[in-house]
Amino acid sequence: MRTGPVAGVLAFMGYDIDGPREAGTTRRDVLSVAAVLVAGGAAFTVAGPAPHAAAQSDGGCGLGYDEEFEAALAEADEATPENRALAPEGPRGKFALPLRRGFRVSARYGVRGNWLAGHHTGIDLAVPSGTPVHAVGAGTVVLARWSGAYGKAVTVRLRDGHYAVYAHLSRISVRQGARIGTGDRLGSSGATGRATGPHLHLEIRARRGYGSDVNPVRYLAQRGARLL
């Protein structure tokens, strides 16, 4: 494990310095680190940003089991017709990324923690509030409303039976029951609900219920959309 002034500052800023380098530092963060280290007389070297860096401070969430959201999702899903009217699911490559601008991973999928599931059930992508959020795959919107700790959220039942949850939005652009295509805009990123900063919490569930989550990075990669 790294120690010293650099590690201390990065840890304070929320960086997982012992984890994979999934994203780089931002300009604002670099300047903050530089100011602290120069004041302390420390020598340092700053690397350039990684491909998915975004000029935005970290955003994360403390999402766990939320009774309000789960109850609303179950009721809405049962009331929303199956998407059988949609054409059969296309080639595996017919999926897309939820964001079309740089982002920073502020919380990886599967991180262990004090959640009912025992781990972080989605992936947090830090971007400025108002960043357009797009559908990763075609399906039917089963819930598009305030969703407890998830804040303003959109849940889509995908053609393959999985559910995609897009949480902490600042704005929702679709309605319950709408049939959407891959890449359609669902809303804008934000920090509503239980969030520490603006970001998109993307969660993929194999079934409707909490705890059926799968790795969103792997799920999308298997369908031709490389998130990381």
Side-chain angles (χ1 to χ4, degrees), residues 2 6 9-10 13 15 21 24-38 42-50 53:
R2 292 187 221 174
V6 175
V9 174
L10 292 178
M13 294 172 64
Y15 286 91
R21 293 188 61 189
T25 56
T26 69
R27 177 178 175 81
R28 182 182 301 171
D29 295 337
V30 168
L31 293 177
S32 299
V33 174
V36 173
L37 294 180
V38 169
F44 63 98
T45 301
V46 176

Side-chain angles (χ1 to χ4, degrees), residues 68-108:
E68 177 184 347
F69 171 66
E70 300 302 330
L73 178 58
E75 180 179 359
D77 190 38
E78 292 170 2
T80 305
E82 294 290 337
N83 51 14
R84 293 170 183 167
L86 292 169
E89 186 177 8
R92 295 179 71 82
K94 294 298 183 180
F95 274 69
L97 300 182
L99 301 171
R100 296 178 181 174
R101 59 154 291 156
F103 59 82
R104 189 186 182 291
V105 178
S106 54
R108 298 189 303 275

Side-chain angles (χ1 to χ4, degrees), residues 10 25 34 38 44 54 71 99 108 111 115 117 121 153 170 178-179 183-184 190 192 194 207 218 225 227:
L10 292 178
T25 56
V38 169
F44 63 98
L99 301 171
R108 298 189 303 275
V111 174
W115 292 283
T121 55
S170 61
R179 297 192 184 100
D184 285 355
T192 56
R194 192 179 302 163
R207 297 176 301 282
R218 185 178 304 155
L227 186 62

Side-chain angles (χ1 to χ4, degrees), residues 118-165:
H119 62 271
H120 188 225
T121 55
I123 186 170
D124 290 349
L125 308 175
V127 287
S129 183
T131 300
V133 173
H134 303 271
V136 297
T140 302
V141 176
V142 295
L143 195 64
R145 48 160 282 185
W146 181 267
S147 301
Y150 286 78
K152 292 182 180 180
V154 173
T155 302
V156 176
R157 184 173 58 226
L158 300 169
R159 291 177 177 177
D160 63 1
H162 285 71
Y163 290 75
V165 184

